[in-house]
Amino acid sequence: MDNEFLVWQIYDRKDTVILHWCKIYPLDQISRSMTQKITGRVADFTQKIFYPAEITLKNGRISAIERLAVKEEGLPFILPGFTDSHVHIESSLLLPAEFARLAVVHGTVATVSDPHEIANVCGLEGVDYMIENGKTVPFKFNFGAPSCVPATVFETAGAHLDATAVDQLLSRPEIKYLSEMMNFPGVLSKDPEVMDKIAAAKKYGKPVDGHAPGLRGDTARQYAAAGISTDHECFTKEEALDKLQLGMKILIREGSAARNFEALIDLLHDYPDQIMFCSDDKHPDSLVVGHINQLCARAVAKGIDVFKVLQAACINPIRHYGLGVGLLQIEDPADLIIVEDLEHFTVRETYINGACVARNGVSLIDPKPQPAINRFTIGEKSLAEFAYPLLKFGEEENFEQVYVIEALDGQLITHKRIHPITDVAGKDDLLHSNVEKDLLKIVVVNRYQPMPIAKSFIRNFGLKKGALSSSVAHDSHNIVAVGVDDESLCDAVNRVIQCRGGLSLSFPGKNGQEGSVLPLPVAGLMSTGDGYEVAEAYTQLDRMSKEVLGATLRSPYMTLSFMALLVIPELKLSDKGLFDAGKWGLV
């Protein structure tokens, strides 16, 4: 009841006043219908100035902007709300409604959201689930049609969206674009299914998002010529320049694991019309601390003109995707924020369609209970299934060597390393983790059907004992785990299976295996709980992974979730085996 009003009707009948209860209205509905006045320094993007003014909000829109002859000192700044130009809501481990509750505190009013993760688990039902949950809160989600479900044929997913299904999605007005086309080899080879999906987007006049890490020169030109309009996967400034000069928009990404802000931010000086800010994948503990506002503060601190910064954070996403989000113009939807200054971008208030949804660091959006959907059919695994026999190596392999995935902190890419097999071979004809050399066993367990467990080795996680496991494993979201010993691997994986999805850890204790799990019952990707409570539970799990198990990565669970993402070079592990993106095949 905190965000609801009791509305009464008063009748005057022959000098008798009757007070009659009528209805309970949501607070945001009341505030939209009221006339409100907001005073501050308003951003004028045409003249690139700020001026003191009073903005009138009525019926969810800006009805007037009146200049004031007052001193500017002490007045807050009024800006358009921030838009995250590319994000997978699922990676926050929160439902859309809970993501919104946390994001509005930082001035975010809209997202360009790719429901690719839940689509790989639950198909069209998953996309509809995200859209409907997003409608329960005053926030502007803009979902795309997932283009790559599954991402490749070298993994097992829970669903398949062909060109016909993608066409049907794109025909819907609430679907704003074709989500990131990760199958860039399919674009370059003009794969019929891939080209049909791109053609469907063109038919409906909707943009096509890109995903082409490392692509440069003539191949980048072919990719852009197919109609791909953006890329958020650039490693270097040189790669981004190649794509900018082809007319593509470049998204500067700062997520919980993948970060390219430092490499790309200087491009905003010269290409303000072609740069946007995004988070891509952001865990709840990071979202509690900040969102797009953090990128604005960092960019201004580097000496970039504030209007160029705000163009990337507010203007460009709206124009590129044709979003129904206001830009501080008369008759626009009243989507705006009030910030204390243009250095830290601390948000005082956030308005969406004229309703105040956050004030002084407190979200005014109520939690929305939601049932879970899922697809998780396997039973618990036995310890014997995690054994890695030396006999697994076939005739094409060099018996003296073993492939090792090298994880990189802050990056989705990995390096391919080769180690002598003696580093991991035991006297029992089995391959084991070698903690001294930081060579740990990594496994992927098929969650959709009983299959043998895929196994390989990885370095740079730094675990000294125990194991980490996650059912958030891009893109097919099987279970991925990394660990020091098979007992911990088995226990961590089974903790996830028992919850039908989650993040877990396990380690040897005095009375057997000890550990913890954060359940994710919605598709094995998201919690149904309060966003702030989920963030706290995640923070505790992350802390244990470092303090108890010895993980050395900044965000070990986020990094782990990308070790099965085959479309990002160089070496990854799927439920079908070890995959080399350079060769585009299993090794």
Side-chain angles (χ1 to χ4, degrees), residues 70 81 86 106 147 262 341 424 466:
V70 298
H86 175 74
H106 310 300
S147 66
E262 293 297 335
D341 57 53
V424 291

Side-chain angles (χ1 to χ4, degrees), residues 47 244 487 490:
Q47 300 184 54
L244 284 168
E487 290 79 8
C490 182

Side-chain angles (χ1 to χ4, degrees), residues 150-157 476 478 564 566 573-580 583-587:
T152 74
V153 298
F154 302 101
E155 57 197 305
T156 304
S476 295
N478 291 294
L566 308 189
L573 183 67
S574 83
D575 66 294
K576 294 184 178 181
L578 198 60
F579 182 84
D580 187 330
K583 298 178 179 178
W584 202 251
L586 297 170
V587 297

Side-chain angles (χ1 to χ4, degrees), residues 7 25 83 161 298 498 547:
V7 178
Y25 286 94
T83 296
L161 298 184
R298 289 174 62 186
Q498 290 160 9
E547 295 180 357

Side-chain angles (χ1 to χ4, degrees), residues 102-122:
L102 275 60
V104 293
V105 171
H106 310 300
T108 304
V109 301
T111 59
V112 179
S113 308
D114 181 1
H116 169 97
E117 315 303 345
I118 197 169
N120 266 281
V121 179
C122 299

Side-chain angles (χ1 to χ4, degrees), residues 5-78:
F5 277 134
L6 291 175
V7 178
W8 303 79
Q9 291 179 332
I10 300 176
Y11 301 92
D12 189 349
R13 296 182 180 176
K14 296 181 179 180
D15 299 324
T16 302
V17 176
I18 302 174
L19 191 61
H20 174 66
W21 175 71
C22 180
K23 189 176 182 181
I24 297 177
Y25 286 94
L27 177 58
D28 66 316
Q29 185 174 334
I30 296 292
S31 59
R32 282 199 305 267
S33 63
M34 295 169 58
T35 298
Q36 304 172 76
K37 305 284 188 178
I38 298 175
T39 301
R41 284 178 272 188
V42 176
D44 183 330
F45 287 89
T46 302
Q47 300 184 54
K48 293 183 170 47
I49 61 170
F50 291 92
Y51 62 90
E54 181 182 74
I55 298 180
T56 303
L57 313 183
K58 187 174 183 180
N59 296 324
R61 293 186 175 271
I62 296 175
S63 62
I65 302 177
E66 181 182 355
R67 283 180 177 263
L68 299 176
V70 298
K71 292 184 177 180
E72 295 185 19
E73 290 78 7
L75 288 177
F77 293 85
I78 303 176

